[in-house]
Structures are given as structure tokens and as C-alpha cells.
Amino acid sequence: MWDPETYLAFDDLRARPFFDLVNRVRADRPRRVADLGCGPGNLTATLAKRWPDATLEAFDSSPEMVAAAREHGIDATVADVHDWRPAPDTDVIVTNAVLQWVPDHLALLPNWVSALPDGAWLALQVPGNFDAPSHVAIREVAASPRWRERLSAAGILDRQAVPDPAGYAAVLTAAGCRVDAWETTYLQPLTGEDPVLHWVTGTALRPVRDTLDDDEWQDFRADLAPILRAAYPRNPDGTTWLPFRRVFTVAHKPE
């Protein structure tokens, strides 16, 4: 279950990749803009401001996130990305930090492109931190004798890294698009007690939270916390630096 409040605790830092992504979309007057995995809707609202004349389509698989988006004034719905198909007038698709949760998402991209009208844009961003110390630590704790049986049954240990920019570029170029693909590692300044644990609680640890009961969840966090403290030490000024890699792709279907 997604917790919008926890996710939004770092809303400024989480928002920057979204704006870096959307700034590369050159659509002037799109008829329909679709936000796939809209989350709590705070960023979706900026799409409505940029393209006020467009029909805004937004959905998320989490009822909690959709409820939060509706509180932001977004007419969001609960839906699964696997079931979605672009409407004929969809000129822009944005999917921000969503497709890493969809293991077969590379197969979805060409299908979306083929359904888009000429001149449409597809913009995606995914975290590329599968091999970062934070995520390695999560997998190590999940694979420990205490947790392995519970968490392997939920498929948590089976998650694979997302492609690099070249991987996305290859798929979308083959689908007939002009592609702009890149990666950026943001150095996130975090503060407070166990800030990296708090950061991953809002995202990477969601499948763990969904699997464990309340007491188990607190025990898992207690096992993980000292490993993250050692991997990401606090500096004398109180700042903990978290390098966070993101992978971006913007594809334009020629007119």
C-alpha cells in the first residue's frame, strides 16, 4: 500500500527529475495528456498548468494515491498500466517513476507508440538505483534467514534492474520514434534521523511493507537501519548525501 504522506516527505527532491523530463517534451498544443502513475497528483497538476487546453488523463494503481490526487483537484482513476491504451487523441504520455514496478514494461512501449497519433510524445523516467548500496542492503536483509521465506514468496528478491538509456533508445527507435535518452545521478541532501531509510520507505520498501504485518515491518526496518547508516554516513553539518541515479527517455513519433 502506498502512503502519500511518506512519499511527499521529499517532494522537492522527487519532483526535480519530473521537471527535467517534461522540459524535453516539445508539444505545443496537445489535445490529450496522459499521466500514467500519477501518484498523489502534485506533479500532474503542473501538466494541467502547462497545457491548460488539453484533456488531462491520470491514473494510478494505488487507491490511496488516487484519493490524494483527487484532493489536489486531479480527476484521477484507479487503473493498471497493463490495461491502458492511448485514446486516439493522446498527444503526450508522461510516466514518471512508475515503469520500474512493471517487469515487462519494454513490451508495452511499442504498443503505445503504435496507438499514438503522428507527432505524439512519450516521456518516461525510472530510478536506476538497483545496484546502489541502499537497494543492495534491502535485498541482503530480505535474503537473510529471518526474512527470506516471507519475502521471496512475494517476489521481492526477483526484481530486475531497469534498462540503461541505450536500452530504451533501442526499443523506441525500433518503434519508429526519434529518441532523446540520458541518465543523471542526483546527489540528494537528506537530513534527520535515518534519512535514507525514510527515503526508501516511500518507494523501494513498499513491497516489503505490503508483505509484512506491523510488528514485522518495524523489525525489518530495525535490521536495515544500521546498514544504511554505515553506507550513508552523516556529515558533520548534519547532511546525509544520497546519490540517486535516474534514467530518462523522451520519444517523438514523427509526423
Side-chain angles (χ1 to χ4, degrees):
M1 181 176 67
W2 282 98
D3 181 349
E5 184 175 347
T6 300
Y7 184 83
L8 286 170
F10 301 100
D11 59 334
D12 286 346
L13 298 178
R14 297 193 196 281
R16 183 177 172 186
F18 174 89
F19 292 116
D20 288 347
L21 174 70
V22 174
N23 283 343
R24 297 296 296 168
V25 177
R26 305 304 189 195
D28 292 326
R29 297 178 60 86
R31 294 165 295 172
R32 178 181 296 268
V33 176
D35 188 0
L36 316 188
C38 63
N42 57 312
L43 298 176
T44 311
T46 68
L47 300 177
K49 290 181 180 179
R50 177 174 173 181
W51 293 299
D53 296 329
T55 298
L56 184 61
E57 179 181 356
F59 69 83
D60 200 283
S61 62
S62 163
E64 295 78 16
M65 286 295 196
V66 167
R70 287 182 170 271
E71 291 179 2
H72 279 98
I74 304 301
D75 187 20
T77 60
V78 177
D80 190 310
V81 71
H82 281 103
D83 301 327
W84 182 80
R85 294 295 180 272
D89 62 346
T90 303
D91 292 321
V92 175
I93 297 173
V94 176
T95 176
N96 181 63
V98 173
L99 295 180
Q100 74 274 13
W101 299 108
V102 185
D104 60 345
H105 68 267
L106 284 182
L108 298 176
L109 300 179
N111 294 334
W112 293 345
V113 169
S114 67
L116 290 174
D118 292 345
W121 296 79
L122 167 60
L124 70 90
Q125 182 269 125
V126 289
N129 258 22
F130 187 80
D131 293 323
S134 56
H135 290 54
V136 171
I138 292 169
R139 294 197 301 275
E140 287 178 349
V141 173
S144 66
R146 183 180 187 183
W147 301 111
R148 182 173 183 83
E149 183 175 356
R150 288 292 310 278
L151 297 179
S152 62
I156 293 166
L157 299 177
D158 300 330
R159 296 190 180 278
Q160 300 297 315
V162 299
D164 62 10
Y168 285 110
V171 169
L172 288 164
T173 299
C177 294
R178 300 188 184 100
V179 177
D180 180 11
W182 71 99
E183 65 178 70
T184 300
T185 297
Y186 298 88
L187 192 58
Q188 313 278 30
L190 308 182
T191 57
E193 296 296 322
D194 291 322
V196 177
L197 177 62
H198 192 35
W199 175 279
V200 298
T201 293
T203 52
L205 285 180
R206 183 179 65 87
V208 177
R209 182 66 186 99
D210 289 347
T211 303
L212 303 180
D213 63 31
D214 291 346
D215 290 339
E216 291 171 328
W217 168 239
Q218 295 305 323
D219 289 344
F220 185 93
R221 282 169 52 91
D223 289 350
L224 179 61
I227 303 174
L228 295 179
R229 289 186 211 119
Y232 302 93
R234 184 187 299 179
N235 293 313
D237 67 353
T239 301
T240 300
W241 292 102
L242 173 66
F244 202 106
R245 175 176 174 258
R246 304 273 185 165
V247 176
F248 301 81
T249 307
V250 175
H252 183 215
K253 187 171 181 178
E255 298 186 26

